[in-house]
Amino acid sequence: MRNILLIAKREFIERVRSRVFRITTVLVPLGVVAVMLAGHVISKKTGGLNHIAIASDNASLATITKAQLEASEHPPKTIQIVSPATPAARAQLTQQLDAGKLDGFLWIAEQPGQPQPQATYYTRNSSDFFSQALLRSSLSIASLRQELISRGISPSEAKTLVKPVTITTLQIKAGKAVKTNAERNFSGMYALVFVLYGVVIFYGTDAARSVTEEKSSRIFEILLSVTPADNLLMGKLLGVGAAAMLQVAIWVGLTLVGSSTALAAQIGLHGLSSLGITIPELIFFVIFFILGFFFYSSLSSALGATANSAQEVQQFAFFIISPLVVSVLMMAYVMTNPNSITSIILSLIPPFTPIIMYLRICAQTPPWWQIGLSIALLLGAIWGMIWIAARIYRIGILMYGKRPTLPEILRWLRYS
Amino acid sequence: MPPVLALDSISKSYSQKVAVRDLSLAIEPGSMFGLLGPNGAGKTSSIRMIVGITMPDSGQVNLFGKKFHRSNLQRVGYLPEERGLYKKMKVFDQLVFMSRLRGLSESVATQRARSWSERLQISDALEKKTEELSKGMQQKIQFISTLMHDPDFIIMDEPFSGLDPVNTSLLQDTLVELKNQGKAVLFSTHRMDQVEKLCDSICLVNKGEAVLSGTVREVKSRYPRNHVIIHYEGSDAFLQFPGIAGSRSFPGSSEIELKPGASAQDLLHLAAANANIYKFELAEPSLEEIFIQTVGGRVDA
């Protein structure tokens, strides 16, 4: 036990002190922030009208349209009203548009005998779907309000009448209607799944690579004369795992702090809840992250012990990555069908459990017996995997030269 | 005192090949033991069984008079032929790490790392990473790492390969000193001159079996004194002497093996007639010759 801890400590310190660890610890959150900011900026730009003008002979219609635009999600900064809409005014607006002082102007001409006016939007952009959609809905509602007012309804009443209807979705679950989370923000959960996926792959192959490296530098020859192979394996897994967890803890900590800052508030984030992560889900994330890490890293250490070089590690990385890739590809399906037979079965198969079961828990709490069973099966699989890995490891690290075939590896399992 | 190591007819086979067959030997405290043999003879396989990396298929390994148990490995220091150090780790950290794995406390390990590196003149390297050091330096570090926990039984597989003469004699002196303190040293090598100089007993293995064993004196006395070493200047016509069974000539010297019954004195007379003789020695065969003679052309690998 003392030696397991000594080895774990060495592995942990080596990783935490490495340049890769420092760089990824800083760069990954920076990258995420950059992507979020870019997304925020782009969404502002695309909904983005800065300075526009509305020209109409009907000043009241123009004013209501302006009010509708200002009440929208992405209101333009300034809206200038030009009334009456004379040819001279049009020439002047065109000139301003050309000079870049205006982003566009909406020319509204009333059609006698028809409730809807004829509208033309002049702009420098060839296609700006967001602005067009915004203008169309604002003008349609404005003209409806105008029509209601002209038929004797008070302006405030007219405004209330055109308000959109809210729809609540309810889901029937075991005969009872419950609120769905269709409108919930899942971005935080998606981020965590990708952290789990990325970190497990990165540290899993890192464990394999370091086994191969120790094998080729022949350190094992000395280590094995000091401590048994399973101690080396356990120490390595614990040390690498601790480094992985420290990194994830730093990221989660930064997210907690960062999401409550003023900068985050500007882009609509207020603490963890606005990322759609609840505390129980975070606890389950930690559980499945640790279990997933031990499952995959023991598998990859065993494979690493059969390889002679880093290139050979690349060749089998596929075996480690494919169940995780399948899990990520199934993400959308599992989120929409968390209780389908496929989702249930997948979540109980140990290589898929970490991601699929976590998704099911986030989508809709599955029956407790299923969560319990999946964790029990995964623990059993980890135990079996470490048992197999220790055997392959003990023999594999002393075998140099030709890569062993599968039947040879199976024979190793029977030794002693 | 019981022998530090006693192998009781151990055997080990890998899928197709017999690596070690029925090997028995004993090493006494305070002695240096040479395990010799050509490449692939089973030396490393035997050592791996002694230090518990592998288990013998049959037979028994006894350490310090008791049946093999891992706990006794803390009294063993093993320097493998293939050197293994963590490339990215500082030398000092590495020495402390290895000694702590062998049961030393941090403070004792720190203190010994300093005193040993002073003794072997590598104090400057302590704060460097292994990958920054020369091969000879790494060798000395590995040597220290093997000895820091003050083992009673030291196993050295080719300890002097890659070292210059100054460092070789520094390490040799250290080993002799440890032997004189009562430690047992198992020394595996191809370098017969070193074995001859350092070892008390030897065991020559070939194809997994012991073919010669005993003290160096015993082994050599089994062979007749029919070797002549001549250092000379002038004609080498004496090589035509009919009593010569075989010879090897070097610039200014020859090593001659006489036929049974041939007279060395006659050879001296013949040689002195044509050349200036600086040295004429009637010697036992060297271990090297015994090695070549015993293993002969049968070396595979």
Side-chain angles (χ1 to χ4, degrees), chain A residues 105-306:
Chain A
F105 65 89
L106 187 64
W107 192 269
I108 306 172
E110 280 181 301
Q111 293 174 289
Q114 281 196 34
Q116 283 89 9
Q118 168 106 46
T120 315
Y121 181 56
Y122 296 86
T123 173
R124 279 193 311 277
N125 298 339
S126 56
S127 62
D128 183 351
F129 300 108
F130 287 99
S131 309
Q132 277 182 34
L134 178 64
L135 291 169
R136 179 165 56 240
S137 68
S138 303
L139 181 56
S140 300
I141 294 171
S143 99
L144 183 58
R145 274 169 74 178
Q146 175 72 17
E147 187 64 23
L148 288 172
I149 293 165
S150 73
R151 292 190 188 187
I153 292 170
S154 78
S156 62
E157 227 179 324
K159 192 180 170 191
T160 322
L161 278 173
V162 297
K163 269 201 178 152
V165 179
T166 0
I167 298 180
T168 317
T169 315
L170 286 182
Q171 186 183 17
I172 302 299
K173 209 166 137 186
K176 277 185 214 157
V178 287
K179 260 194 126 170
T180 67
N181 28 32
E183 296 133 55
R184 216 184 106 185
N185 179 352
F186 280 115
S187 58
M189 186 213 65
Y190 283 110
L192 286 183
V193 167
F194 279 103
V195 164
L196 196 151
Y197 170 84
V199 171
V200 165
I201 287 181
F202 179 78
Y203 281 95
T205 45
D206 185 52
R209 193 193 44 71
S210 85
V211 169
T212 314
E213 196 182 289
E214 284 175 13
K215 187 176 159 178
S216 60
S217 70
R218 318 267 167 144
I219 289 171
F220 279 131
E221 193 92 25
I222 301 173
L223 291 179
L224 284 175
S225 75
V226 177
T227 200
D230 26 354
N231 281 4
L232 291 179
L233 179 66
M234 280 311 294
K236 184 173 284 289
L237 296 184
L238 286 176
V240 176
M245 270 173 255
L246 174 67
Q247 189 162 47
V248 172
I250 292 174
W251 289 343
V252 172
L254 284 177
T255 314
L256 285 178
V257 175
S259 61
S260 13
T261 60
L263 183 70
Q266 268 202 0
I267 59 173
L269 279 180
H270 306 282
L272 199 58
S273 55
S274 61
L275 288 172
I277 305 171
T278 63
I279 294 297
E281 284 171 15
L282 202 59
I283 292 170
F284 274 111
F285 168 75
V286 172
I287 292 173
F288 284 111
F289 173 73
I290 293 174
L291 294 179
F293 170 80
F294 276 104
F295 180 82
Y296 281 99
S297 59
S298 53
L299 170 68
S300 76
S301 314
L303 290 171
T306 69

Side-chain angles (χ1 to χ4, degrees), chain B residues 223-228 241-246 256-264 266 282 293:
Chain B
Y223 291 82
R225 259 180 191 265
N226 61 353
H227 271 71
V228 176
F241 181 64
I244 291 179
I256 293 164
E257 192 191 337
L258 295 174
K259 285 180 186 164
S263 162
D266 293 350
L282 184 57
Q293 199 180 324

Side-chain angles (χ1 to χ4, degrees), chain B residues 205-278:
Chain B
V205 288
N206 190 30
K207 295 185 178 168
E209 288 179 272
V211 288
L212 258 185
S213 63
T215 64
V216 174
R217 278 258 51 78
E218 276 167 21
V219 168
K220 288 179 96 172
S221 64
R222 285 180 216 157
Y223 291 82
R225 259 180 191 265
N226 61 353
H227 271 71
V228 176
I229 297 162
I230 304 179
H231 287 215
Y232 64 96
E233 192 183 79
S235 159
D236 62 356
F238 59 83
L239 290 174
Q240 305 309 314
F241 181 64
I244 291 179
S247 68
R248 288 199 288 166
S249 290
F250 308 99
S253 73
S254 283
E255 284 177 32
I256 293 164
E257 192 191 337
L258 295 174
K259 285 180 186 164
S263 162
Q265 292 307 314
D266 293 350
L267 175 62
L268 175 59
H269 285 300
L270 184 61
N274 299 307
N276 288 326
I277 306 299
Y278 298 125

Side-chain angles (χ1 to χ4, degrees), chain A residues 2 10 217 221-222 224, chain B residues 48 70 83 86 100 142:
Chain A
R2 183 176 176 272
R10 200 205 75 80
S217 70
E221 193 92 25
I222 301 173
L224 284 175
Chain B
R48 281 183 176 172
R70 289 206 75 91
R83 312 293 176 236
Y86 288 104
R100 296 209 63 203
Q142 189 111 16

